[in-house]
Amino acid sequence: MRKLLHRLKNHSRLAYFSLWFLLVFYFASFFADILAPYHFDHQFRNKPYHPPTKIHFFDSRGHFHIRPFVYNTVVDDPVFKTYREDHSKIYPLKFFVRGKERKIFFFFKTDRYLFGVDQPAGIFLFGTDNYGRDIFSRLLYGGRISLSISLIGVFISFSLGMITGGIAGYFGGIIDQTLMRLVEILMVFPSFYLMLSLRAMFPLNLSSIQVYLLIVLILSLIGWAGLARIIRGMVLSIKEEDYILAAKSLGLSHWKILLFHIFPNTFSYSITAITISVPGYIIGEAALSLLGLGIQEPYPSWGNILSSTIGNLRVLGDAPWLLLAGIFIFVVLINFNLLGDALRNVLDPKNW
Amino acid sequence: MEEILRCEKISKVFVVKDFLGINKRKVKALQDVSITLNKRIDLGIVGESGSGKTTLAKVLLLLVRPDSGSVYYRNTDLTSLPDSKLRFFRNNVRIIFQNPYKSLNPRLSVEKTIKEALFPKKTDPGMIEEILIQTGLPADYKHKYPHQMSGGERQRVAIARAIAGSPECIIADEPTGNLDATTEVHILKLLDGLKKTLGLTFLFITHNLKIVVSFCETIVIMYRGCIVEQASATQILKYPLHPYTRVLWNQSSFINPVEEYKDREGCVFLFGCPYRKKICFNLQPELKEKEKQHMVSCFLYE
Amino acid sequence: MKRLIIKRLLQLIPMLIGMSFVSFIIIQSSPGDYFAQMKMNPEISPETIESMRTSFGLDRPILVQYFLWLKNMCKLDFGVSFAYHIPVKTLIKFRLKNTICLAIFSLFMSWIIAVPLAVIAGYKEGTFFDKLLSMCAYFSISLPSFFVALLFVYFISKTNLLPIGGTRSIFEVDASTIMVFKDYMKHLLVPGLVLCLVNVGGLFRLMKNNFIETFNTPFILAAWARGVSRNSVIFKHTLRNALNPMFTILGMEIGSLLNGAALTEIICGWPGMGSLVLEAVLSHDLYLVMGSLVISGFLLVLGNLIGDILIAFFDPRIRIS
Ligand SMILES: Nc1ncnc2c1ncn2[C@@H]1O[C@H](COP(=O)(O)OP(=O)(O)OP(=O)(O)O)[C@@H](O)[C@H]1O
Ligand code: SF4
Ligand SMILES: [Mg+2]
């Protein structure tokens, strides 16, 4: 593993950077409870569609402050939702502020967050949405859902694909034929249509945990077929190798051969395949939530933060900062793609 | 004589498809091959590239199932048994593959490779080192992975894996085919030593007649999936009968025209044979005993 | 060649049957008794219900229902939409046309852009220009279609440069065909560009790799050595051979195109299959979902078939045999 990292670094600095970047991203959403200035459903009722808060170093009289600060804002025009800064009082930015207690992963509790300002002022790095909720905080919390769904989804479909592809490729014959026909039939459908149709199998109003599991289920059901096919192809070529025949000639059982001789040799491909298939799951979840079929309010996900923009031109025109969720997705995807490409090159035996 | 391994009338046809899977071509890799391997009498199989030697080795081990014919191990018919019942046989007959660069799993260390092959499974801790030293490798090689070793060293690991099951017979499929001349000598010496210390019987496959004559008692010559001659080493050395054997002995005296593989009538060696007769174009001669213990398949001797 | 096409066509049959079966199962396992629901719905006339009941065997065992449905599907009868109260076929026909127009438009655009750029980048491999284009390609690959669509929508809401939503803004009765066509194209432009932008990067990368691979083969070197002119080497020898593997992509691209198109349609308000299936799912309009699913699968199969035939057609090894 260390060697792999080293090779990756030598191959492409950019991809190495992507790896760290993604790790930081995952880390940040994992610890959203500490990093986010507000809880995901904390509403500033008098501040809907608030633009990103300006952070100042100079006050209105031109004095410099070492500690950056914000002003409280008041509604200027209630119809067009424009805000005006109230220069009478400054609210300095504070680190490790105390606030309402939040639970971190059901076990630990914290009442300190990384940063914040005193009420009634608010610090909205990326603005607020129609309920006056801080979008930055929602993005961090949403990342927890979007990123975990993609990882669990990839994990499930990869295990499924590995098992079916491995069995089909190794045993061949009728097993192979039936499994592959099944896979082909699943692959006949464009995934978006299949995804929506599978969603139609279930009622629209489900509890949030049910929806979460459902999305994971749907995404992995769609994803495993392609992986199974590729892994079958690999197993098919690996099983003709002399070292597999050698293992067979030692009298090892089929399962041992599959587990210890064939699967480990698909490893380098698997790493690459996992990396480049994660984006598909992120997009899948985002698409479902965007269309209102996935994660439901008040829980945030990268998809449903954008969903208020669908079918309403005005919203987007007035609050373009909602698009930041899209930029989050884009940044994560491009890093996954960079990393996946580099891994493919690094792990390709031809380049050793 | 104690018979270990015997096969009778083995045939194997491979169907090779072109890249779209539309046109198919049949390759007769083995045609009615019968051989017998007796205890303590090493058998050598000689033939040029593509003559079906490796296929024969794989069939004898049931790694590839033959289309017809049977394989017997100590008079048990193995072809009728499923893979799961072949355990006892797998520990007694082991194989060393042709290409040491391909026959070791790149993801397993030497230690694990040998451990898998050990029989009986429960052994004392120093066992693996002992086996490594027996094959002329330092004991600390057990931590190495295949890509960290040279071809000769890999082949020694493959040999170690073969002897780890304490077999009575080893099929060596061109064990030196991918190695340079000096390493070849070392490996052959090693095999010869093991043969004596462990009391092994070898089925030695090679394309080099000169090696096999010194290593084996009995020799089988193959050409395009058929046995064309079978005799003791001295007989092959002194009185080669089949035209192909003579070509093998002295390749420079006569240039063997290469015939593209085609499924056709007549003797397999027809195109390369300077003595061919009319009948050779229509029929494949049978393998018959010309002299005592000397079998040949050629119309010259009928 | 003929044999290949026939073989592929024959392979399609079990595929289509399997596909229809899966669609049927998916829809059948959705919750609630929709036949009962239908009867309760005062807006659906008893005649419609009666005719659906007999032709789809709605009160008969499930397997019978499947075969009846399959039979009807062969006659292109997909049943009646619960929400729209008109045959699913009519709905799909209208929407399918739009989706196909969108797909072909963006496909055409992305090939027109990707192939020349790929040739230049491949020829000047390693230069700044190549690196810049490769970076752009990364962007294009990583941009989710819905995000690009939203960006466009935002841009248009600010500038009002192009119409968005629907297929036409001219409703006069006497509008000439040309005007209607122009209007249609204008509406097509936004979703078309969005899709093109999302797809062009992948195409560019594949084409560039093919070009470089072909460019380094011995027969191209031989052409150089013979003193063939630069343009001739690039266009006549390399490009033609580099394009061949692209036709496989063409078939596979239909799938990703349909997926991207669906979201783009929904966001840009383009009345295609994507927005249809979403509406159908939201209103639990089961026959419509089923019909759309089958049709989308059929489109993908068709795309793969066309890709295969094109490969066979352009590859002399197959065409001649
Ligand atoms: N798995 C396979 N599929 C198709 N054809 C095969 C397969 N294995 C072997 N053959 C064919 O069978 C014939 C015999 O092959 P085999 O490997 O037994 O030759 P060999 O005598 O071992 O040659 P070499 O000295 O090169 O190892 C060859 O023509 C080969 O192409
Ligand atoms: S049978 Fe005929 S062709 Fe074959 S080896 Fe003998 S003489 Fe030559
Ligand atoms: Mg061989």
Side-chain angles (χ1 to χ4, degrees), chain C residues 15-32:
Chain C
M15 201 84 196
L16 288 174
I17 292 178
M19 185 181 97
S20 66
F21 189 69
V22 170
S23 315
F24 188 77
I25 292 296
I26 288 177
I27 304 306
Q28 283 300 321
S29 46
S30 80

Side-chain angles (χ1 to χ4, degrees), chain A residues 3 241-254 256 260-262 264-265 267-268 352, chain B residues 58 61 63 83 87 90-91 93-95 97 99 102-108 113 116-117 121 147 161:
Chain A
K3 243 167 53 197
E241 296 279 346
D242 275 356
Y243 58 80
I244 300 301
L245 285 180
K248 220 170 156 185
S249 79
L250 298 176
L252 299 185
S253 67
H254 290 313
K256 266 196 178 153
F260 297 117
H261 291 263
I262 291 185
N265 282 291
F267 171 78
S268 49
W352 281 6
Chain B
K58 288 177 184 168
L61 283 163
L63 294 175
D83 280 346
R87 271 280 167 74
R90 299 247 181 257
N91 286 320
V93 181
R94 286 279 166 95
I95 184 167
F97 279 100
N99 189 344
K102 287 185 179 164
S103 66
L104 297 178
N105 187 342
R107 305 248 167 220
L108 289 188
T113 304
E116 259 186 356
K121 287 279 170 205
H147 68 269
R161 173 173 63 185

